Amino acid sequence: MALIVQKYGGTSVGDAERIKRVAERVVGAADSGQRICIVVSAMGHTTDELMELASQITPEPFGRELDMLLTAGERISMALLTMAINELGRRAISFTGSQAGIVTDTTHGRARIVDVRARRVLEALEAGNIVIVAGFQGVSTEFDITTLGRGGSDTTAVALAAALHADACEIYTDVEGVFTADPRLVPEARKLHAVSYEEMLELSASGAKVLMLRSVEYARNYKVLTHVRSSFSDNEGTWVREEDERMERAIISAVAHDTSEAKVSILGVPDRPGIASHVFRPLADEGVNIDMIVQNVAADGRTDISFTLPKEDLRRAEPVLDQVRGRVGARGVETDPDIAKVSLVGAGMKTHPGVAADMFDALADAGINIDIISTSSIRVSCVVRANEVAGAVRAIHEKFHLAEEAVIREAHPATVTGQLRALNPEGTAPGGGL
Ligand code: ASP
Ligand code: MG
C-alpha cells in the first residue's frame, strides 16, 4: 500500500473552516487506499504572533523557552486537524515532534535533525490510523524541545518521508508550485513542471521561499520525491526530483530574488596572508552565515573586502566586526542593508556558455548597476540596489523568455524531438533559444 507524507502550511490550516477542508482532502487520499502521514504548520501567523508576545516580555528570550513557546503553534493545528478527521468518522492520532521521534541537535531556534525514530508513527499507521505530526519541532539529544528554524515544517515532512520510505512527500501550500519567478513581481511567470534537487537547492538558497533550504538538502540526500502543490486546488504542482531524461531539460529554470541580506564592506584591509581568515573565522564562530564574498585588487598594500549576510545576523555580527577591524588594522567598516540579490538558476548552464553574459546584458539594458557577482555551476547571482530588484527580475525573466515554454538544452536529436512533442503537443517549436 502506498505511503504518502503530506505537509500543510500555515495558510492551508489558517482557520477552522480551512482545517475542515484539509481534513476532507486527507480523508479523500486515505479513501483512495493510501496510508497517510500528515505534517502541519502553525495556523496562519501564529508563529509570528507568539514571537511578538515573547518580545513584549523580554528582548532576548532564552532559546529553550522560546522553542517551548513556538512549538505550541503546531500543537494547536495538529490537535484540531486530528479532531476534524475524527469528525469525518476516521481514526486519526496526533504526535508532537518529540513523540514522532524527531531527534535534533541542541541548537535552539535552528536545530538540525540528527535522527528520525519513526517506530511509533509506523505502528500507528499500521494500526490503520491517519497520523498527524506537529511540524517544525523535535527533541534534542539533551531531551529539550527544539525548533528547526522558520519554515521548518517542510523539513519535518521530508525527513519523515525519508524515514518512513514514503512513496512521495506532498508539500501543500498557498501557491500552485515553483514558478519561473515570483508571480507578484512577474505576473506572466510560469509554473514549472519539475526541477532537479540541485536546482531547487540553489533556488531556496537564493530566496525562493516555497521550500525551506534544509528540506531540499534532505530530499536530495535521501532521494525523497517531493511534490509542491496548492491545497486550494487539485492541480498538479511542481515535482522536485532527480534530474532524468524525461525532464524539461531547460537551460534556465527560474530567477529568484532575495531582499533579506545586507552588505558589509571592510575598507582598507592590509593585504597580507591570513587576513581573510582573521575576518571570517570570528564571524563563523559567532554562527554568522556569510554568502557572497569579494575582495578587491590591492592598491598601496590595502584592499577592501565585501560580503553579504542575512540582515537578521547583523546585530550579532556588528561587535565581531568591530573587533576584527581593530585586530587587522582596517580603515573602517560599512554596512548597507538596502541591497537585494537576483539569481538565475538552471542545470543547463553547466554546458551552455554565454548565460552570465546574457544576464548582465539584461541588467545593463534596464540601466541596473551590479554591485557583486557570484556564480556556481548552475547559478549566477548579482547584488543590486534593493529598489531595483523588481525591475531586475523582470528584465532577466524577459531576456530568457521564461514565460514561454522551456528553452531546450542540446541533446540527441531523437530526444529533442521527443521533448518538443511532449512540451508542445501542437507541434510548434517552443520559444526562446540561446
Ligand atoms: N510555523 C513555523 C514558521 O512559521 C514553521 C513552518 O511554518 O514551517 O516558520
Ligand atoms: Mg513554508
Side-chain angles (χ1 to χ4, degrees):
M1 204 203 275
L3 197 169
I4 307 289
V5 173
Q6 298 185 333
K7 177 252 169 179
Y8 291 91
T11 318
S12 308
V13 293
D15 57 34
E17 274 319 305
R18 288 186 176 178
I19 289 177
K20 288 184 196 172
R21 240 183 291 149
V22 167
E24 279 164 20
R25 192 184 266 271
V26 171
V27 167
D31 283 344
S32 73
Q34 294 166 320
R35 285 184 298 165
I36 309 291
C37 175
I38 306 293
V39 173
V40 280
S41 289
M43 294 170 69
H45 298 290
T46 303
T47 309
D48 291 324
E49 286 156 15
L50 292 172
M51 283 175 65
E52 161 59 26
L53 200 54
S55 77
Q56 291 176 32
I57 305 276
T58 162
E60 301 257 13
F62 287 130
R64 182 185 186 281
E65 303 315 321
L66 189 60
D67 279 356
M68 210 54 127
L69 178 72
L70 296 185
T71 49
E74 271 70 12
R75 264 191 189 224
I76 294 172
S77 35
M78 86 178 182
L80 291 173
L81 179 59
T82 307
M83 291 174 197
I85 295 172
N86 288 334
E87 269 300 293
L88 296 174
R90 299 297 291 249
R91 267 199 298 153
I93 180 168
S94 66
F95 293 123
T96 63
S98 159
Q99 289 175 315
I102 309 286
V103 181
T104 73
D105 65 15
T106 56
T107 324
H108 285 291
R110 47 178 167 174
R112 273 183 173 275
I113 296 177
V114 295
D115 196 10
V116 179
R117 300 176 188 158
R119 191 179 50 87
R120 196 161 173 197
V121 170
L122 257 181
E123 282 172 6
L125 286 169
E126 267 150 28
N129 290 287
I130 295 170
V131 172
I132 325 295
V133 176
F136 172 60
Q137 54 181 274
V139 61
S140 77
T141 45
E142 299 287 328
F143 307 105
D144 277 319
I145 298 299
T146 49
T147 60
L148 309 179
R150 297 310 302 267
S153 299
D154 295 340
T155 306
T156 307
V158 176
L160 267 172
L164 297 169
H165 303 290
D167 295 272
C169 181
E170 299 183 334
I171 305 283
Y172 284 94
T173 174
D174 51 0
V175 292
E176 291 272 332
V178 182
F179 282 73
T180 51
D182 184 338
R184 282 168 301 185
L185 298 189
V186 187
E188 65 276 19
R190 183 172 58 90
K191 181 176 74 187
L192 293 161
H193 171 67
V195 288
S196 66
Y197 295 125
E198 264 64 31
E199 288 170 311
M200 197 64 228
L201 273 176
E202 295 281 9
L203 288 170
S204 287
S206 305
K209 286 181 201 64
V210 64
L211 281 178
M212 191 203 197
L213 176 60
R214 209 170 278 168
S215 74
V216 187
E217 283 172 358
Y218 227 100
R220 181 200 48 191
N221 293 348
Y222 293 90
K223 308 258 180 292
V224 177
L225 180 62
T226 305
H227 188 187
V228 182
R229 56 192 306 194
S230 166
S231 62
F232 300 104
S233 80
D234 288 322
N235 298 338
E236 199 177 354
T238 302
W239 293 90
V240 185
R241 63 182 197 208
E242 250 179 317
E243 202 178 340
D244 73 13
E245 283 306 307
R246 284 158 305 161
M247 269 174 116
E248 283 178 15
R249 293 185 146 249
I251 295 166
I252 300 303
S253 282
V255 42
H257 70 283
D258 189 352
T259 51
S260 69
E261 298 204 332
K263 185 178 97 167
V264 170
S265 299
I266 308 182
L267 306 171
V269 182
D271 187 30
R272 53 179 151 76
I275 285 296
S277 106
H278 286 319
V279 171
F280 292 107
R281 170 54 54 200
L283 288 166
D285 290 345
E286 200 49 44
V288 175
N289 242 316
I290 304 296
D291 182 18
M292 301 163 108
I293 302 177
V294 283
Q295 181 179 330
N296 291 336
V297 178
D300 61 38
R302 287 182 179 261
T303 179
D304 298 342
I305 298 177
S306 297
F307 55 88
T308 63
L309 76 179
K311 277 180 197 157
E312 61 183 33
D313 286 2
L314 258 183
R315 208 165 36 92
R316 250 180 315 139
E318 266 158 5
V320 182
L321 287 166
D322 226 38
Q323 286 171 11
V324 164
R325 186 177 59 86
R327 204 171 315 139
V328 303
R331 290 202 180 114
V333 175
E334 270 174 13
T335 348
D336 181 357
D338 294 320
I339 59 145
K341 186 173 72 175
V342 279
S343 304
L344 187 61
V345 173
M349 260 180 223
K350 261 185 281 201
T351 49
H352 218 94
V355 169
D358 282 343
M359 176 173 174
F360 305 149
D361 283 351
L363 293 174
D365 293 345
I368 293 169
N369 190 49
I370 302 171
D371 194 354
I372 305 181
I373 299 168
S374 82
T375 62
S376 81
S377 63
I378 62 165
R379 174 185 53 78
V380 183
S381 301
C382 299
V383 168
V384 299
R385 301 308 307 158
N387 61 9
E388 291 186 318
V389 67
V393 171
R394 279 186 216 114
I396 296 166
H397 196 268
E398 174 90 355
K399 178 85 178 175
F400 289 91
H401 307 281
L402 295 180
E404 297 155 36
E405 284 298 0
V407 179
I408 301 296
R409 218 193 302 168
E410 280 154 45
H412 299 300
T415 333
V416 171
T417 320
Q419 282 163 358
L420 291 183
R421 218 176 287 123
L423 280 170
N424 216 325
E426 269 81 47
T428 46
L434 292 173

